[in-house]
């Protein structure tokens, strides 16, 4: 599916893309270089949905070209989701942004009439325009939703994920449901607080189950956390074991009263589980994990 992300220069487009699709955190994206013309990147969102992101650089010399006969059909056709990134921190660019957005909307009407259109009010941590005012301004426009995002505040990933989750096919949804049921059983058997299957590339959850008996924290918090930083210990474990010419497909480490278990399922996916220290069963752990891997791989096919 083609996702077209547009907005004026410096609106925060590339940061948003890297944050959501590459699991990058604020520290990693805050010093990005401006994008030249249109950069196209393919991602497998949550390991399920193939998306092609068209990140259209917003400098004046590029933006006018998007609307020329030479480029417009290429840029605006076959778009599944369109996201306009509107810099909420800079009121002085608002007028210009609405003019360009209007042009983009007209082109979408022509080339991708079925496309779903969204606005994200970026940099909301420094906003000078409120979400309420923006929603009022765009009330009559053909925009499905206007949402506030801020990478440093951690309210960006959830917004973009929700937009894209809404485009997931019924088959993928079914797959996720089945995995969810399986993880619920895993939680019960292993006495775990939460278990997720994560996509290693973006660190996002594919399916997850939380044992509310143990973990009363809101599910959303875990769901939209990138587990990238947690995957690192698994990579480190692998390197150490590789040096010893042994295989390492899991890492276990302790945080407070919990064990964090990471287990490689495939090149793409890993299992992440939080198990309270007192509940942890060693026994034939490797045997149990191998059985889990087999079951999950069957489900993912
Ligand atoms: N305060 C704040 N700054 C942001 C946010 N997202 C991006 N930025 C900054 O905005 C500037 C432009 O970002 P970039 O992603 O390169 O914009 P692009 O030209 O639209 O791709 C950079 O200095 C980013 O660090 C955000 O959520 N909050
Ligand atoms: Mg950019």
């Amino acid at each position: 599916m083609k996702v077209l992300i547009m907005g004026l220069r410096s609106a925060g487009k590339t940061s948003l893309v890297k944050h959501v699709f590459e699991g990058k955190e604020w520290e990693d994206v805050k010093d990005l270089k401006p994008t030249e013309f249109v950069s196209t990147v393919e991602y497998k969102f949550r390991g399920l949905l193939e998306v092609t992101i068209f990140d259209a650089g917003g400098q004046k010399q590029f933006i006018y070209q998007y609307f020329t006969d030479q480029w417009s059909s290429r840029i605006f056709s076959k778009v599944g989701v369109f996201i306009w990134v509107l810099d909420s921190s800079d009121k002085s660019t608002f007028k210009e942004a609405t003019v360009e957005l209007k042009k983009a909307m007209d082109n979408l009407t022509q080339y991708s009439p079925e496309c779903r259109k969204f606005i994200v009010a970026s940099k909301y941590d420094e906003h000078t325009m409120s979400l309420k005012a923006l929603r009022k301004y765009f009330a009559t426009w053909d925009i499905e939703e206007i949402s506030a995002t801020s990478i440093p505040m951690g309210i960006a990933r959830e917004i973009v994920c929700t937009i894209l989750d809404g485009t997931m096919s019924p088959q993928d949804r079914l797959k996720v449901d089945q995995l969810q049921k399986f993880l619920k059983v895993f939680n019960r058997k292993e006495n775990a607080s939460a278990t997720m299957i994560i996509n290693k590339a973006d660190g996002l959850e594919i399916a997850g189950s939380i044992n509310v008996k143990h973990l009363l924290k809101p599910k959303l918090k875990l769901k939209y956390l990138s587990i990238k930083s947690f995957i690192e210990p698994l990579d480190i474990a692998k390197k150490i074991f590789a040096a010893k010419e042994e295989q390492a497909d899991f890492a276990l480490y302790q945080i407070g009263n919990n064990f964090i278990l990471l287990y490689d399922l495939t090149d793409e996916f890993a299992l992440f589980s939080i198990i309270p220290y007192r509940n942890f069963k060693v026994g034939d752990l490797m045997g149990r994990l191998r059985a889990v891997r087999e079951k999950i791989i069957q489900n993912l096919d």
Side-chain angles (χ1 to χ4, degrees):
M1 185 185 64
K2 178 168 165 182
V3 178
L4 177 62
I5 300 188
M6 287 189 124
L8 300 185
R9 71 222 152 260
S10 269
K13 299 176 293 295
T14 309
S15 314
L16 195 65
V17 168
K18 296 217 178 271
H19 178 60
V20 177
F21 298 99
E22 293 179 15
K24 297 274 196 315
E25 294 307 330
W26 177 235
E27 290 306 311
D28 313 315
V29 299
K30 66 179 185 203
D31 300 316
L32 287 177
K33 297 260 177 317
T35 310
E36 305 255 320
F37 204 56
V38 185
S39 113
T40 316
V41 201
E42 312 246 343
Y43 293 101
K44 211 163 173 193
F45 173 68
R46 290 195 196 280
L48 293 170
L49 183 70
E50 309 246 5
V51 293
T52 313
I53 305 284
F54 280 63
D55 173 2
Q59 293 90 327
K60 264 208 166 69
Q61 72 266 34
F62 302 127
I63 211 161
Y64 92 91
Q65 289 186 61
Y66 304 147
F67 306 115
T68 59
D69 290 342
Q70 188 195 354
W71 286 102
S72 58
S73 67
R74 261 183 270 185
I75 292 176
F76 294 102
S77 56
K78 299 198 177 78
V79 181
V81 170
F82 169 76
I83 301 175
W84 182 270
V85 181
L86 183 82
D87 187 344
S88 77
S89 75
D90 189 358
K91 233 180 187 155
S92 70
T93 57
F94 183 73
K95 198 89 219 124
E96 186 189 348
T98 57
V99 172
E100 303 301 338
L101 170 59
K102 179 76 179 59
K103 288 189 219 161
M105 302 270 295
D106 290 344
N107 275 277
L108 287 167
T109 305
Q110 182 178 354
Y111 296 110
S112 298
E114 305 287 303
C115 157
R116 300 178 58 191
K117 307 178 198 75
F118 299 85
I119 294 179
V120 301
S122 64
K123 310 188 196 176
Y124 208 71
D125 48 291
E126 294 179 0
H127 75 272
T128 55
M129 293 173 281
S130 74
L131 193 57
K132 199 173 162 201
L134 291 172
R135 284 187 171 149
K136 196 168 166 200
Y137 183 92
F138 290 107
T140 58
W141 292 47
D142 173 29
I143 299 282
E144 207 170 306
E145 179 75 69
I146 303 175
S147 320
T149 61
S150 159
I151 301 174
M153 282 166 78
I155 53 160
R157 205 172 262 131
E158 181 179 346
I159 300 294
V160 179
C161 286
T162 306
I163 292 175
L164 294 183
D165 281 344
T167 68
M168 209 185 265
S169 71
Q171 293 96 304
D172 280 344
R173 220 173 272 282
L174 196 69
K175 219 185 260 184
V176 169
D177 282 350
Q178 274 160 354
L179 288 170
Q180 227 123 22
K181 282 190 196 123
F182 179 72
L183 295 177
K184 196 171 170 188
V185 175
F186 180 89
N187 276 345
R188 204 169 51 227
K189 279 193 189 152
E190 299 293 334
N191 241 320
S193 305
T195 305
M196 306 199 280
I197 296 169
I198 52 182
N199 182 35
K200 288 195 260 180
D202 52 19
L204 288 171
E205 174 195 316
I206 294 165
S209 179
I210 292 188
N211 192 337
V212 283
K213 259 202 320 221
H214 299 155
L215 205 73
L216 293 164
K217 295 247 170 66
K219 177 165 182 168
L220 281 179
K221 273 272 178 296
L222 259 180
K223 190 162 178 173
Y224 297 108
L225 188 79
S226 164
I227 313 289
K228 268 269 199 225
S229 51
F230 287 112
I231 298 175
E232 266 159 37
L234 182 55
D235 288 339
I236 295 166
K238 277 187 170 170
K239 285 195 187 112
I240 294 169
F241 277 90
K244 291 188 183 165
E245 291 182 10
E246 283 173 53
Q247 246 196 328
D249 50 13
F250 87 107
L252 188 67
Y253 57 109
Q254 198 182 345
I255 296 183
N257 295 326
N258 294 300
F259 271 132
I260 304 284
L261 169 75
L262 280 164
Y263 181 62
D264 245 351
L265 297 166
T266 65
D267 285 346
E268 274 178 280
F269 308 121
L271 188 85
F272 167 93
S273 190
I274 306 172
I275 307 174
Y277 188 67
R278 59 176 197 285
N279 294 349
F280 191 74
K281 288 183 288 186
V282 184
D284 179 22
L285 178 67
M286 292 320 290
R288 298 198 308 270
L289 287 175
R290 270 195 298 273
V292 163
R293 177 194 276 153
E294 243 169 69
K295 247 328 225 291
I296 292 176
I297 290 176
Q298 277 171 15
N299 264 303
L300 278 167
D301 268 346

